[in-house]
Amino acid sequence: MPLTIDEVEHIARLARLALSQEELAQQCVHLNGLFARLDELREIDLTLVEPTAQGGEQAGELRADLFGPSLQLEAVLAAAPEAAGGYFAVPAILDPDAE
């Protein structure tokens, strides 16, 4: 079932994208084309294809996980733009009213 302009507008609003009516129409065509292509891919018979964890051979060797000295907390926090209580201080992002 193809997406409508209203559904694309809702998706854009959720993504906090300000799109013009022309851009909404373009995205509607684009998304419906993508979904049509996905529908074509869903029709491929994969019954004889074995599931895999990765697509190819793993190249190279992994280095040994060796224990070594770590950085001093005070030195790391001294280089931080802002620190509080032994942690990095970062701005809140979950509250939309926060600045």
Side-chain angles (χ1 to χ4, degrees), residues 3-16:
L3 290 175
T4 65
I5 291 285
D6 290 337
E7 291 170 326
V8 174
E9 186 175 16
H10 178 70
I11 293 167
R13 193 176 320 110
L14 290 175
R16 297 179 186 240

Side-chain angles (χ1 to χ4, degrees), residues 5 31 33 50 55-56 58 65 70 72 75 88 91 94:
I5 291 285
L31 289 171
E50 259 187 74
Q58 189 172 7
D65 190 11
S70 61
Q72 295 297 316
F88 291 105
L94 299 178

Side-chain angles (χ1 to χ4, degrees), residues 18-40:
L19 300 178
S20 68
Q21 288 300 316
E22 181 181 317
E23 290 170 322
L24 286 171
Q26 289 173 346
Q27 289 305 313
C28 189
V29 170
H30 178 73
L31 289 171
N32 284 324
L34 285 173
F35 291 143
R37 182 69 178 137
L38 285 173
D39 287 338
E40 290 176 21

